[in-house]
Amino acid sequence: MALCLALSPGQGAARRALRKLITCHGDTFWSLVPARALRAFRTHPIKHTDYLHHSIVDTMHYQESLPRLPIPDLVDSVRRYLRAQKPILDDDQFRKTELLSHSFKYGIGKDLHEELVALDELHQDTSYISAMWIDAFLALRDSIAFHSNAALAFQADPNPEQNDQLTRATNLTMSSIRFLKTFRAGYLEPEVMHLYPEKTDNEQFKKLIQFISPDIVCTAASMVSAYPLDMSQFYRLFNTTRVPLPKKDELITDESGMHILVIRNGNFYAFNVLDGDGNIVKASEIHAHLKYILSDESPTPEFPLGYLTSENRDTWAQMRNELLQNGNEEALRLVETAIFSLCLDDFPVSDIDQLVQTLHHGDGMNRWFDKSFNLILTKDGSAGVNLETSWGDGVAVIRFMSEIFKDSTQEPMVTPHSYLANVDSSYFVRKLDFNLNDTLREAISKAKENFEAMKKSLTFQCFRFEKGGKTFLKRQKVSPDAMIQLSFQMAFLSLYGQTVPTYEACSTGTFKHGRTEIIRPASVYTKRCSEAFIREAYRYKVRDLRNMLSDCSEYHVRLIREAAMGQGFDRHLFALRFLAAAKRGPLIPDFFQDPAYSYLNENILLTNTLSSPLVANIAFAPVVPDGISVGYSVHQDYLKFTVASYCGRNVGEFNQGVTKCLENIFSVLEGRPIHS
């Protein structure tokens, strides 16, 4: 009976089948399934070296029935907007913004909202924000190397012997291509958020869910608190390049490319990692080809082309056109259609600070910042990814990195003692040469000069807070994320005397073509709490300070919930502004011309978190000259941070401030007074 319900196309059938799953376990569950159904279950094939695994549930099984990203009510968005403005404006500024907001929500804003809703109704296959967000991202003209790309560091291979540059580069390359093959074959396990993994993150759930019709399967899964995530971005991981064009770039994905790009000492190489039938080239051959490249004694080019990808996008667009006109079509095609870029740096890293700087921008010449990702290996085998972010968000990248880390460390294809294939790598590896004229040489020199200036002005510094982590904070019944964000507010106030616009990214990946929403951690609660801790702690009893921490936590959890459910305000207002600009040209509504709106979107504190134990650090640059960026991760017994700033702020002082504020927060949570 249970299986018949699962196979039924009706939504009620799915509900009854999944409810059975909640209450039935082990033999009891399987006694409900007819023997004929058991024979119908897909089984795992014999493991093939081309694939990481073979999921019994198709990779895109959930995609069709993912819920659509809701458009919030305009009145709610304006109310949330004012809530975010309150702590960062003075009383006069806030009153002006309040009046503009009132006029907007009952006037032109209402008209724009209705247009947005009507437009959304015409595009049921996507989200209201997806196309606009990509368009806006691709229209940004600043250097992507310093203004939008992000860096993520792998943990070291647990087997120290495997942290050899050649060995690890080969294994990570093999695992990356296996990931590609697994995804394109539909064998990659779908991405699902399990609120009760003991009930749903198991083979029984998968064996049932695979039979539920794709048009209702997400509804069915949600009834047992399993929430599939959008996987539409995954195809952009490979063979994808952001191509510079005047005014707005273009994302190209050409799955016909069977090669990878390798960059070493500013020199470019390409070789196939898939054969004519689409099978993965033997690991021993890839090993030999990379050995050949690492042994190449070609000097660094006098004018390394990679610097151009760090330039202003319009400048780079002009120079790319110059390259094409100067006879470099084939070389550029190989660069831009490569499955990914593998960067082999010729220097070791001495510490984690140097590693994140290397991954974020490196020396400039050994990267192609336009690729969807650059896989980077330093001389000592430290590894990570430089990510171009217009095409996708954390869900795809963290999944990719986690899978290839596990595969390359648990099932390595080569070791330092492996024999190289007996192949003539000089035949298979193609070194790419570029014809440069005086215009291009001059542009590369200028790009290098600009790169070095930006590099010199940007500082990264990592630190760990060792006095506790998720375990302690959860025991105190406060949100770990709330307490971390509060420490940023306190530290900034103590150093600079301000509460400033703060950005925390939140995934909306449970919706079809969802991207991100913004959490605005600066609130009247954090401002009051920060001022009490920093300026007036002597006036309050520990109990009162503890209550303030609870208020901050409760409000922050509410913000997280709203953002994750598509009920933030930033993306909604962004879409309305996008429509206003598209339809009315320079006649932008007064609401969007309010200095307070611009100020909120300066995002002086730019923050993001990741939750993979296999990814060591996340790093990105501030988006304004006087900004601070913080990538952080929450662990059971410690907290980890990667902080960056330009010359306008002192990273070391901010890190010390965050540490001190966390110590004070932990003291109050333990019932102890604050010591200045």
Side-chain angles (χ1 to χ4, degrees), residues 77-147:
S77 287
V78 170
R79 175 174 50 81
R80 291 169 180 140
Y81 168 74
L82 291 172
R83 218 165 54 188
Q85 289 283 20
K86 183 71 173 174
I88 64 174
L89 300 178
D90 63 32
D91 290 344
D92 289 341
Q93 291 171 327
F94 185 75
R95 277 192 292 271
K96 178 184 176 184
T97 296
E98 204 171 24
L99 288 172
L100 288 171
S101 299
H102 183 82
S103 298
F104 179 75
K105 70 181 176 183
Y106 294 117
I108 186 64
K110 184 178 179 182
D111 296 338
L112 289 169
H113 177 79
E114 290 173 354
E115 287 180 34
L116 181 63
V117 171
L119 186 66
D120 187 53
E121 286 294 319
L122 295 175
H123 298 90
Q124 295 282 321
D125 58 335
T126 186
S127 69
Y128 76 90
I129 197 67
S130 181
M132 295 179 187
W133 188 246
I134 292 175
D135 278 356
F137 223 116
L138 294 177
L140 296 175
R141 300 291 84 192
D142 290 328
S143 162
I144 63 173
F146 290 98
H147 290 91

Side-chain angles (χ1 to χ4, degrees), residues 53 72 105 194 200 234 273 297 329 374 395 422-423 486-487 517 523 537 542 546 560 577 587 607 620 626 642 675:
H53 54 249
K105 70 181 176 183
H194 298 274
T200 57
F234 278 60
V273 291
E297 296 181 356
E329 297 93 338
N374 288 263
V395 172
N422 186 22
V423 294
L486 177 59
S487 74
E517 182 54 88
S523 68
V542 172
R546 177 64 172 82
I560 293 173
R577 191 185 189 286
L587 300 177
T607 72
F620 43 92
D626 62 342
T642 302
H675 298 290

Side-chain angles (χ1 to χ4, degrees), residues 338-578:
I339 294 172
F340 62 87
S341 170
L342 173 65
C343 307
L344 301 175
D345 288 349
D346 263 12
F347 54 86
V349 294
S350 57
D351 55 35
I352 188 63
D353 292 352
Q354 186 185 3
L355 176 60
V356 297
Q357 291 178 48
T358 297
L359 298 177
H360 183 264
H361 50 261
D363 59 12
M365 70 175 180
N366 221 46
R367 306 286 182 267
W368 196 263
F369 292 108
D370 293 353
K371 290 300 290 181
S372 54
F373 70 90
N374 288 263
L375 178 60
I376 302 165
L377 277 293
T378 63
K379 188 72 172 178
D380 62 331
S382 298
V385 161
N386 182 281
L387 176 70
E388 197 283 307
T389 54
S390 67
W391 63 269
D393 306 304
V395 172
V397 178
I398 295 298
R399 174 67 184 279
F400 166 68
M401 292 184 68
S402 297
E403 291 283 0
I404 70 169
F405 179 87
K406 287 187 291 185
D407 186 63
S408 65
T409 56
Q410 295 173 8
E411 297 187 36
M413 293 290 182
V414 300
T415 73
H417 313 293
S418 296
Y419 289 104
L420 301 175
N422 186 22
V423 294
D424 181 5
S425 291
S426 65
Y427 175 78
F428 293 98
V429 177
R430 177 175 175 180
K431 186 177 179 186
L432 307 183
D433 294 313
F434 294 88
N435 300 315
L436 305 179
N437 57 23
D438 288 343
T439 300
L440 287 164
R441 293 189 189 97
E442 183 179 347
I444 292 170
S445 296
K446 182 62 176 176
K448 180 180 179 181
E449 180 183 328
N450 293 339
F451 179 90
E452 292 296 336
M454 290 295 292
K455 176 182 175 181
K456 185 177 180 180
S457 69
L458 180 63
T459 301
F460 283 94
Q461 192 176 102
C462 305
F463 74 100
R464 283 166 57 133
F465 181 78
E466 301 279 6
K467 295 187 178 180
K470 182 177 181 180
T471 301
F472 171 79
L473 293 169
K474 286 288 189 181
R475 193 186 308 131
Q476 299 299 321
K477 295 182 169 53
V478 291
S479 158
D481 194 66
M483 295 301 99
I484 292 169
Q485 288 288 342
L486 177 59
S487 74
F488 302 156
Q489 299 299 315
M490 289 182 179
F492 204 94
L493 181 68
S494 67
L495 289 170
Y496 307 112
Q498 290 179 280
T499 296
V500 294
T502 307
Y503 175 116
E504 179 184 0
C506 177
S507 173
T508 51
T510 55
F511 299 100
K512 182 177 289 186
H513 296 184
R515 293 291 306 247
T516 59
E517 182 54 88
I518 301 175
I519 300 166
R520 293 292 181 179
S523 68
V524 293
Y525 299 98
T526 61
K527 186 173 185 178
R528 176 173 176 252
C529 187
S530 297
E531 290 177 343
F533 270 68
I534 299 303
R535 296 172 174 168
E536 304 174 320
Y538 65 91
R539 292 181 49 195
Y540 295 93
K541 295 179 180 179
V542 172
R543 179 180 65 253
D544 297 328
L545 295 174
R546 177 64 172 82
N547 289 338
M548 290 185 195
L549 294 180
S550 294
D551 290 343
C552 290
S553 177
E554 289 175 12
Y555 185 71
H556 191 74
V557 169
R558 174 181 164 188
L559 292 180
I560 293 173
R561 186 179 300 114
E562 288 176 350
M565 295 304 295
Q567 294 297 322
F569 68 86
D570 277 274
R571 299 301 185 238
H572 184 198
L573 295 183
F574 165 84
L576 298 183
R577 191 185 189 286
F578 189 95

Side-chain angles (χ1 to χ4, degrees), residues 1 41 59 69 131 151 159 203 241 249 273 336 343 395 411 431 528 540 567 618 651 674:
M1 179 180 68
F41 286 144
T59 304
L69 182 67
N159 181 352
E203 289 301 307
T241 298
D249 296 347
V273 291
E336 293 175 347
C343 307
V395 172
E411 297 187 36
K431 186 177 179 186
R528 176 173 176 252
Y540 295 93
Q567 294 297 322
I618 178 173
V651 170
I674 295 173

Side-chain angles (χ1 to χ4, degrees), residues 590-647:
D590 291 344
F591 175 84
F592 294 117
Q593 297 187 56
D594 181 8
Y597 180 82
S598 300
Y599 179 57
L600 179 66
N601 286 283
E602 285 185 11
N603 299 321
I604 293 172
L605 270 173
L606 182 70
T607 72
N608 206 339
T609 185
L610 61 84
S611 57
S612 171
L614 305 181
V615 179
N617 293 78
I618 178 173
F620 43 92
V623 291
V624 290
D626 62 342
I628 293 176
S629 63
V630 189
Y632 62 96
S633 56
V634 181
H635 302 266
Q636 293 300 326
D637 300 311
Y638 66 92
L639 309 172
K640 186 187 290 187
F641 302 86
T642 302
V643 183
S645 76
Y646 292 105
C647 298

